Amino acid sequence: MRFNGTSGVQVQPVDNLDDLKAFSLISFYIKRGEKLAHRQDSAVNLFIMYLGSRQANKDFIGVALENGNLVYMYNLGGADGVLRVDDKRVGGEDFSFVRIERVRQHGRLRVTEKQYTSTATGSSPGKFSLLDLERDDVVFYVGGVPEDFVLPSKLRYPNFIGCIELGTINDNPVSLYNFVKLQNMDPHKSTPCGRKKGPLEHSSNTFYFDGTGYIRVADANYDGRIRALMVKINMEIRTSSNNALLLYAADNDKFLSLTIQNGVLKLAYNFGFNSTITPPLIKEKLVNDGQPHTVHVIHTGKGKMYLRLDRSTIIRKITEPKTMNFKEIFLGGIPPHADRERISEQVGVINEFKGCLLNFKVQENILNLQELMMKGVSTGCPDDVLVSRKVRLVGHGFMAMVLKDPDPDMEMGFTFRTIEPNGTLLYRNVQSGTMAVQLENGMVAMSTETTKAVSNRNYNDGVNHYLHLLKTGSQLHLVIDDEDVAKDDEALHAPSQALHVPSQALDKNMLYVGGVPSMHDGVQNFTGCISDLFLQRPGKDVIVENLQHFKKTQVSLGSCIDPHSPVGLDLHRGTRPRLRKRESRFQNQVQSDWHTMGKSCEILNFPFSELDAVATGTTPVSRQEFDLPQKLFTKRIQIVMEMRTSASDGMLLYVQGENQTDFLSLFLKNGCIVFDFKRQDSKIRLRSQRVYNDGHWHKIYLIKDEERCQLIVNGKVIRKSLHRVSAPFVMSRPLYLGGVDPIKVSKDIPGRSVTSAKGCIRGAAVNDFRLTQADRTLAVTPCFLGPFEPGMYFASEGSFITLESTVLQDDEIALEVKPQVHSGMLVYMANLTGQSDVKFSLSLYLHQGKVGIHVQDGAKEFQTTSMHTQPLCDGQWHRITVLWQGKSIHVTVDSEQTIMKVPHTPNIVQPPVVLYVGDVPDVVKVPWMSGLGGYVGCLRGLHIGSERLGLSLAPAQLRGAVHPGRCPLV
């Protein structure tokens, strides 16, 4: 855009401001106006840009011209950091390319004009290193600011005169035309500034896919090019994606696809003459290295299929001379409304592509893709978008980098996110000694052979944390989230026992991230996300490491999804279980339709959950039980499900035979998927060779008939058996999903695999019968994505916890709630004379947003509702206390109290008292609460007098969709 000295643009800031906290990079092109460029005096001072708070007295990033030279400044909560390049003035003839970077408190300014670059580096003073910007408070001004906005003093210069073109913010392309508001500028009348662009910039045949979208060619044969027997598809790609869909061309059930799987190109097709993913001819070559790769798919009229990569033929297949007609083509991904399940079965991978696609051709002709439907795609391919700053690890992977001339002292930092309590974040092995950073029971520990520093709080809460560490001699200094966690004077000056790795097991002068190659006793690799790793090297600028340069083992670059965003995942909001009638509330505990009913909180943002997925493994016996028709199991059995887990062992599905010795089971053993089947004297066991506990979704098919059995994972036949079993399998109800009753399980199942698999399951079906309406549920909840906080979570009505306690006169009941419904039972305590006859009861409940209490003393009943004014359905915790004093009951909600008078002092409840939290079982008859329903939401801190309840729960105490230990954070 061209700026005239009175104009300005308020640009839409990036969505993920947390991504700018530890690391920020803004690139742009700039040149001064021609009249200013010819001035020889040094009085050219102009404002260029500001990203920060609306108050301008908090954290910010800013750029200005001072005396014709670029100045970059930033404030992180203390004094300003100021960097300037004095030997390169911004001219008026050629554009200068500018990059302003910040790694924690370290800044760098680079200005390039033609082929010459000048660099300035520095640091901001003070102890703060994070850029704290709030979504509701941030503004991004370029070229000028509104008259009523007061800039920080060092940026208070006249509006810019000249041309500015934005490039990227971190790895996100940005544009001035994505504006919120224009000031004294009409983009339709203002002549844009022309700039000669490089070959990978904004051209009509170069596109950047951000990992969330696709390009759709709705009528692939709109010009008749694809109907020939000879089909040629050419493209060039640059990416760091491990798994992605590059191309999917389809005509009903016929298709041709090109995918990246584990960094390697895969070709699959089915046009009546092939349906398998073809094997490579030569050693597989990785294409996810960020470098340009040319790809050619050729199908000749003579019936030959070729896949060429960088001028080498990697696949050659004899087919048939048939015409390949496409009705539509998708590039980089498929839309949400597509049959993703069917396409996943066909091609194996449907992850959206993140990277650049250039020169897409069909029959040697470039298609004009800019005229087509696209989402999450922009033109151009700037280098910054291809840098890999983030990595996801799943407990058995790691990365390694050689440290050249390592210094005994060091400064480094990174961002991490996890919900796991233990794991190795970093291990440095050099001649001068070793250093490790680990999670130990949720706390961060930094240690050497002689010194150890441990944080005083837990960090495994599923949100980003920003770690900064310094080592000087034997002294350690650990800072997390800009707070001092441990210093050398607080460290344990004793031999460290943090990491038991024999020194001979690891190479010297290596930095390991996320774990180490061989997991020895006491060593556990990290599960979670690590990003923005930097390492201070003597004599070099501080930069964030490009993780593509690391040696990688079983990790996934660039796949750490922002926990606050549903981008790239099958998520939906407002998801809570459907409310059911009490007589059927144990059925369908967890459903795919988690929509909000009238009783639910209208104003609350419900936690993210995976669509149609349930979480198992809450307890060793967590499970859903289905009383299926016995005739459902015939001589042919077909089982399908999707599974995601990081656990090594656990039960996925189990069915016992009618004679109690036969069984059918699907479970995990050391990360491998295992199918076990026993019918009379016949036994079948199929086991995958590779592990699937990598935290990704995997689709499992099991097909068994009279003559053979096949185990198929992600569309590939993993194992098959030709063992003949003629007698049909007769099941004994129920079918167990996600776990099994330990009394029913066969002794042939390995011990650790008997427990419920910790993870998520979705789309389970037996012979096309979908397992969505469980007859009984035990500690199974929706598959929430986190983050989480401590507490009990009740996901649906009919979920409750059974406790035993004593309650005496003058005792107090106290608890905290964060409800997702306006009405529901919180606590019901009773002294039962028989199985269901109530001698005395006290009920604490919610009704239409108010807290109610009901007391039954023999034939007498008392009831009242609190008069508090604070709404409970606001996503916050609220404390409720009930205090019994003689003939009055005091109900306090937060700080507002209601007193209920009773005509006489009721009989003292004699122990033992049965206490239900969240709901009551059907066998307990509570006539007055008909229609009230169970509680849905979070609950914590339950006390009866001085007794804290619910800290340690046995599986038998849990019923329904309840998690006893954590609540999804909203």
Side-chain angles (χ1 to χ4, degrees):
M1 281 186 178
R2 191 184 303 275
F3 296 83
N4 60 17
T6 64
S7 55
V9 180
Q10 182 180 347
V11 183
Q12 184 71 45
V14 294
D15 293 329
N16 184 11
L17 294 175
D18 282 348
D19 194 42
L20 303 179
K21 274 195 171 183
F23 168 74
S24 57
L25 182 154
I26 301 177
S27 66
F28 59 94
Y29 296 87
I30 187 172
K31 74 173 181 179
R32 286 160 51 188
E34 294 181 4
K35 293 182 179 180
L36 281 178
H38 291 297
R39 288 175 56 174
Q40 298 300 316
D41 60 50
S42 58
V44 181
N45 300 321
L46 298 172
F47 167 79
I48 295 176
M49 67 176 59
Y50 169 87
L51 174 63
S53 168
R54 294 179 186 274
Q55 283 74 40
N57 58 0
K58 299 180 181 179
D59 295 9
F60 73 87
I61 294 173
V63 184
L65 276 182
E66 286 185 356
N67 301 327
N69 297 308
L70 275 166
V71 177
Y72 164 40
M73 59 196 73
Y74 55 96
N75 188 296
L76 306 175
D80 293 342
V82 181
L83 287 72
R84 55 171 44 87
V85 173
D86 294 327
D87 63 342
K88 189 175 293 299
R89 294 192 175 187
V90 174
E93 295 182 1
D94 298 306
F95 276 90
S96 297
F97 178 58
V98 183
R99 288 167 55 97
I100 58 172
E101 298 179 59
R102 181 192 59 84
V103 182
R104 301 299 174 96
Q105 71 272 32
H106 306 288
R108 183 167 73 157
L109 166 64
R110 300 187 69 189
V111 183
T112 302
E113 186 175 353
K114 295 182 178 178
Q115 297 179 352
Y116 302 98
T117 300
S118 294
T119 303
T121 60
S123 298
S124 61
K127 67 177 184 178
F128 299 109
S129 66
L130 300 178
L131 181 68
D132 287 319
L133 301 177
E134 299 294 334
R135 167 57 52 193
D136 297 333
D137 185 48
V138 67
V139 290
F140 185 19
Y141 292 120
V142 178
V145 299
E147 293 181 358
D148 59 350
F149 186 82
V150 181
L151 283 164
S153 58
K154 294 180 181 179
L155 288 172
R156 293 173 190 168
Y157 293 127
N159 288 4
F160 184 70
I161 301 175
C163 299
I164 299 175
E165 177 186 333
L166 292 181
T168 59
I169 296 182
N170 284 7
D171 51 3
N172 301 291
V174 290
S175 170
L176 287 170
Y177 291 91
N178 184 23
F179 55 80
V180 178
K181 187 181 298 183
L182 296 175
Q183 175 184 331
N184 297 327
M185 178 183 289
D186 186 343
H188 300 291
K189 296 180 180 180
S190 176
T191 304
C193 303
R195 180 177 66 84
K196 186 178 180 180
K197 300 179 180 180
L200 294 182
E201 292 190 76
H202 301 282
S203 65
S204 60
N205 57 354
T206 301
F207 298 89
Y208 170 68
F209 293 73
D210 66 5
T212 70
Y214 57 90
I215 295 178
R216 181 192 180 207
V217 185
D219 182 6
N221 194 44
Y222 62 94
D223 57 3
R225 294 174 182 170
I226 310 179
R227 284 198 175 275
L229 287 176
M230 172 71 77
V231 175
K232 292 184 179 180
I233 298 176
N234 305 339
M235 71 183 76
E236 185 177 327
I237 61 171
R238 296 182 67 190
T239 185
S240 60
S241 298
N242 278 14
N243 300 285
L245 178 65
L246 287 175
L247 178 144
Y248 181 76
D251 179 10
N252 296 323
D253 291 334
K254 298 178 181 179
F255 72 93
L256 180 141
S257 71
L258 190 63
T259 60
I260 300 173
Q261 299 185 29
N262 297 319
V264 177
L265 278 180
K266 299 290 184 181
L267 176 69
Y269 52 90
N270 183 355
F271 277 81
F273 43 78
N274 205 316
S275 61
T276 59
I277 297 177
T278 57
L281 292 175
I282 61 177
K283 184 179 179 180
E284 295 180 333
K285 179 181 178 181
L286 296 177
V287 296
N288 62 338
D289 55 4
Q291 300 303 310
H293 295 283
T294 57
V295 181
H296 302 266
V297 179
I298 304 171
H299 182 246
T300 71
K302 295 182 179 180
K304 293 183 180 180
M305 181 72 78
Y306 298 92
L307 176 61
R308 295 176 61 84
L309 174 63
D310 298 333
R311 298 183 179 181
S312 297
T313 300
I314 61 173
I315 291 176
R316 182 172 62 244
K317 191 79 171 179
I318 303 298
T319 63
E320 295 180 18
K322 292 185 178 180
T323 303
M324 303 176 72
N325 299 323
F326 307 116
K327 286 187 175 179
E328 60 183 355
I329 297 176
F330 292 100
L331 299 175
I334 54 177
H337 57 75
D339 189 347
R340 301 175 71 89
E341 182 175 338
R342 178 179 60 86
I343 296 173
S344 178
E345 294 172 13
Q346 292 173 336
V347 307
V349 168
I350 58 172
N351 304 47
E352 279 75 13
F353 174 66
K354 184 174 184 179
C356 295
L357 187 148
L358 299 76
N359 302 320
F360 180 74
K361 300 178 182 179
V362 175
Q363 311 298 69
E364 303 296 341
N365 297 298
I366 294 178
L367 297 185
N368 188 1
L369 300 179
Q370 283 189 320
E371 297 180 354
L372 304 177
M373 176 182 175
M374 61 177 63
K375 175 182 177 291
V377 182
S378 56
T379 57
C381 183
D383 288 336
D384 291 332
V385 303
L386 296 171
V387 173
S388 297
R389 300 183 293 114
K390 304 175 183 179
V391 61
R392 184 168 62 85
L393 304 106
V394 289
H396 51 265
F398 66 94
M399 299 190 303
M401 180 181 70
V402 177
L403 295 174
K404 297 180 180 179
D405 303 320
D407 192 84
D409 299 332
M410 65 175 296
E411 176 189 1
M412 67 181 306
F414 52 86
T415 302
F416 70 94
R417 183 173 81 240
T418 186
I419 60 173
E420 297 297 328
N422 301 296
T424 300
L425 288 162
L426 182 142
Y427 184 75
R428 181 175 181 255
N429 189 36
V430 296
Q431 292 295 130
S432 58
T434 61
M435 190 196 72
V437 181
Q438 294 176 282
L439 279 171
E440 297 179 353
N441 297 320
M443 295 182 288
V444 175
M446 181 172 67
S447 57
T448 65
E449 293 93 337
T450 59
T451 306
K452 183 176 181 180
V454 184
S455 69
N456 55 9
R457 58 152 289 193
N458 290 4
Y459 293 95
N460 59 326
D461 52 8
V463 300
N464 283 336
H465 293 288
Y466 307 89
L467 184 146
H468 190 185
L469 60 90
L470 297 167
K471 177 181 178 294
T472 305
S474 62
Q475 296 181 340
L476 304 177
H477 187 189
L478 180 62
V479 178
I480 302 179
D481 300 339
D482 267 353
E483 297 180 357
D484 289 332
V485 172
K487 298 182 180 179
D488 56 290
D489 56 352
E490 301 166 354
L492 305 175
H493 294 278
S496 170
Q497 299 296 320
L499 198 57
H500 305 276
V501 181
S503 58
Q504 66 272 17
L506 301 176
D507 296 332
K508 290 294 183 183
N509 295 339
M510 294 293 289
L511 178 69
Y512 295 95
V513 179
V516 291
S518 299
M519 291 183 287
H520 300 266
D521 292 340
V523 179
Q524 182 175 338
N525 284 3
F526 178 72
T527 295
C529 293
I530 293 177
S531 61
D532 297 332
L533 171 69
F534 77 91
L535 178 66
Q536 172 74 74
R537 294 185 176 89
K540 293 189 177 182
D541 296 344
V542 178
I543 61 172
V544 163
E545 298 291 338
N546 186 350
L547 301 180
Q548 293 178 21
H549 300 155
F550 280 62
K551 178 183 177 183
K552 300 174 286 294
T553 301
Q554 297 186 36
V555 302
S556 183
L557 292 182
S559 61
C560 283
I561 304 298
D562 172 21
H564 306 295
S565 169
V567 169
L569 298 174
D570 291 329
L571 312 180
H572 53 105
R573 261 196 192 277
T575 58
R576 63 167 295 268
R578 178 180 300 173
L579 300 173
R580 292 170 297 282
K581 296 180 180 179
R582 295 192 58 83
E583 59 267 24
S584 60
R585 65 186 182 189
F586 282 105
Q587 298 181 2
N588 201 15
Q589 295 281 6
V590 184
Q591 297 196 14
S592 61
D593 186 11
W594 305 85
H595 66 273
T596 306
M597 302 296 285
K599 290 175 60 177
S600 63
C601 301
E602 295 89 351
I603 63 173
L604 182 63
N605 285 327
F606 287 89
F608 284 121
S609 64
E610 289 277 15
L611 182 64
D612 193 27
V614 295
T616 60
T618 301
T619 72
V621 294
S622 297
R623 61 185 183 268
Q624 288 186 306
E625 299 180 4
F626 298 83
D627 294 334
L628 303 181
Q630 287 188 326
K631 64 180 181 180
L632 189 64
F633 280 81
T634 62
K635 292 184 179 180
R636 177 179 173 84
I637 300 174
Q638 179 176 304
I639 296 174
V640 61
M641 71 170 65
E642 287 185 88
M643 171 273 300
R644 186 185 71 189
T645 184
S646 299
S648 298
D649 304 273
M651 183 62 65
L652 297 172
L653 182 143
Y654 189 90
V655 185
Q656 187 179 56
E658 189 177 40
N659 63 3
Q660 298 186 5
T661 59
D662 298 347
F663 67 91
L664 180 152
S665 66
L666 196 64
F667 58 88
L668 292 168
K669 174 65 176 175
N670 296 327
C672 299
I673 298 173
V674 182
F675 168 67
D676 251 12
F677 177 81
K678 181 178 182 295
R679 172 68 177 119
Q680 297 177 353
D681 295 331
S682 300
K683 293 183 179 180
I684 300 174
R685 170 167 286 193
L686 303 181
R687 174 173 174 155
S688 67
Q689 287 186 330
R690 60 157 288 192
V691 298
Y692 291 93
N693 59 336
D694 55 5
H696 290 295
W697 284 106
H698 298 286
K699 189 152 193 176
I700 304 171
Y701 273 103
L702 178 71
I703 303 173
K704 183 200 164 297
D705 55 27
E706 292 182 75
E707 298 183 353
R708 67 192 66 191
C709 183
Q710 292 187 93
L711 178 62
I712 304 169
V713 181
N714 300 333
K716 299 179 182 179
V717 178
I718 303 302
R719 281 287 182 269
K720 59 183 178 181
S721 169
L722 299 179
H723 196 100
R724 181 176 179 84
V725 181
S726 58
F729 178 79
V730 181
M731 70 166 291
S732 173
R733 297 176 182 175
L735 177 143
Y736 298 99
L737 182 67
V740 64
D741 185 343
I743 299 176
K744 298 288 187 72
V745 71
S746 170
K747 296 180 180 179
D748 293 337
I749 306 297
R752 290 186 300 177
S753 298
V754 171
T755 61
S756 176
K758 188 175 183 180
C760 293
I761 295 174
R762 68 184 180 190
V766 176
N767 287 357
D768 296 327
F769 186 93
R770 288 178 57 81
L771 304 180
T772 57
Q773 298 188 6
D775 293 278
R776 289 164 297 279
T777 298
L778 178 60
V780 174
T781 67
C783 179
F784 294 113
L785 297 175
F788 298 92
E789 59 183 327
M792 305 175 189
Y793 183 66
F794 300 85
S796 70
E797 291 189 36
S799 306
F800 62 91
I801 294 174
T802 304
L803 302 169
E804 287 190 6
S805 178
T806 60
V807 57
L808 303 175
Q809 191 174 11
D810 297 339
D811 263 357
E812 180 183 69
I813 303 174
L815 70 160
E816 290 183 85
V817 297
K818 187 193 289 187
Q820 294 177 7
V821 288
H822 292 298
S823 302
M825 177 64 72
L826 292 172
V827 176
Y828 178 84
M829 52 197 322
N831 182 280
L832 304 179
T833 57
Q835 185 177 3
S836 59
D837 295 328
V838 177
K839 180 178 179 181
F840 174 90
S841 72
L842 185 147
S843 305
L844 184 65
Y845 59 92
L846 300 179
H847 180 61
Q848 297 181 359
K850 300 294 184 180
V851 176
I853 190 166
H854 179 278
V855 177
Q856 178 181 347
D857 183 17
K860 303 180 181 64
E861 295 186 50
F862 317 102
Q863 190 169 0
T864 191
T865 302
S866 65
M867 304 304 295
H868 66 92
T869 58
Q870 177 72 19
L872 299 184
C873 271
D874 58 359
Q876 305 299 317
W877 286 103
H878 296 277
R879 180 174 176 80
I880 302 172
T881 60
V882 179
L883 180 62
W884 195 304
Q885 290 183 329
K887 296 183 180 181
S888 63
I889 300 176
H890 300 252
V891 181
T892 305
V893 181
D894 294 329
S895 59
E896 300 178 79
Q897 188 179 80
T898 302
I899 300 176
M900 179 177 76
K901 297 293 185 179
V902 293
H904 68 279
T905 301
N907 295 328
I908 302 298
V909 178
Q910 299 297 324
V913 171
V914 177
L915 187 147
Y916 300 106
V917 182
D919 210 337
V920 297
D922 284 338
V923 296
V924 178
K925 305 303 180 182
V926 189
W928 69 266
M929 68 171 286
S930 177
L932 179 68
Y935 175 69
V936 177
C938 292
L939 187 150
R940 70 184 182 189
L942 177 61
H943 285 80
I944 305 293
S946 60
E947 184 181 4
R948 176 75 179 272
L949 301 178
L951 289 177
S952 179
L953 296 170
Q957 295 176 273
L958 309 176
R959 284 294 180 272
V962 57
H963 196 298
R966 69 182 190 183
C967 297
L969 191 62
V970 296

